[in-house]
Amino acid sequence: MTARRRLAVLAACIVVAALLAWYGATRFTPSDTPPPDVGSVRLGPEPGDDVGSYLAELPAQLPPPGVQTLALVQFGNELTAPEALSAVGGAEIDEAVLRVPLTRVQTALRFEPLEPGVAQATALDTARQRAQMQATADAGRLAGRPRDVAAAEAAALAEPGCRCVLALVVRSDRAGLQAVAARSGVRAVEAAPPDATIRELALAPLLPEQTERVDPPPDDGPVPPA
């Protein structure tokens, strides 16, 4: 091969390498827009808040007419799955907050996303089962009172008719959320900003025991046997 041909081949290789580098840079460079921060949008009152003031502020946070958004539907007491589904009136559900109510015993809030493309009753029951498995796992790794509480939670969550749905995250528009807020059993509906995603939400629903201030509930009662 002559020197001139070698130079031509080398130049062609350089051009090809440059084109490949350009394509890779344009094809795989991350977007300039960073992903939303997990838990950056709080739904629910802050610790120490006055409950009456928190509830009074919620209607002004509803989205404009015709705009859909995520919202935290908070119940006055833990409901069964059918009761919770009836309370939200067919609104699309993204996530459930489950909690086993035990008198004067602090129990865990268990956050379970609902499977998309599945009937809501089935998806909510599956969420209950996942929460039951989490409680069972907690009972296996903890000791003392925390172990006993987790075991009692697992026993309650094992029942399909468990009254353990404390809140639901739904997606609806202003009229739909107003209808949900007016239904029996619904204590509060707090709407997220219209552009918020489920990834951004940090959920902190009111507990039934929190009637005046958002303070931790008592934890001095006996734990029922599992």
Side-chain angles (χ1 to χ4, degrees):
M1 181 181 292
T2 65
R4 181 175 295 177
R5 174 170 288 187
R6 283 197 298 270
L7 289 174
V9 170
L10 179 60
C13 290
I14 292 173
V15 170
V16 170
L19 288 172
L20 288 173
W22 172 83
Y23 174 78
T26 56
R27 175 65 178 82
F28 299 108
T29 298
S31 168
D32 292 336
T33 303
D37 292 334
V38 176
S40 59
V41 177
R42 183 185 179 92
L43 293 183
E46 297 281 354
D49 276 357
D50 177 80
V51 172
S53 297
Y54 165 72
L55 295 175
E57 295 169 354
L58 299 185
Q61 299 177 19
L62 292 173
V67 176
Q68 286 212 344
T69 190
L70 294 166
L72 180 64
V73 179
Q74 305 167 66
F75 302 123
N77 290 288
E78 291 84 354
L79 303 180
T80 65
E83 290 171 341
L85 291 174
S86 177
V88 298
E92 180 183 351
I93 304 172
D94 282 58
E95 189 167 350
V97 184
L98 299 123
R99 174 184 183 249
V100 174
L102 299 177
T103 303
R104 299 188 72 87
V105 175
Q106 289 185 17
T107 54
L109 295 179
R110 302 190 183 274
F111 305 92
E112 293 291 343
L114 266 64
E115 299 171 83
V118 176
Q120 290 190 339
T122 301
L124 190 52
D125 190 61
T126 301
R128 174 192 59 79
Q129 295 175 52
R130 290 198 305 267
Q132 190 268 337
M133 289 188 288
Q134 289 181 7
T136 299
D138 290 345
R141 66 179 178 81
L142 298 173
R145 181 179 175 90
R147 175 200 58 210
D148 296 341
V149 171
E153 291 179 84
L157 287 162
E159 297 295 328
C162 173
R163 287 191 169 276
C164 54
V165 183
L166 177 64
L168 294 173
V169 176
V170 305
R171 187 183 303 272
S172 189
D173 60 9
R174 182 184 186 92
L177 295 177
Q178 287 175 325
V180 170
R183 290 199 178 98
S184 175
V186 175
R187 186 180 187 188
V189 175
E190 182 174 359
D195 59 347
T197 65
I198 193 71
R199 168 188 170 88
E200 294 174 271
L201 301 187
L203 307 177
L206 276 168
L207 304 181
E209 304 95 314
Q210 294 169 332
T211 57
E212 296 182 1
R213 275 175 48 95
V214 182
D215 294 324
D219 189 29
D220 55 6
V223 179

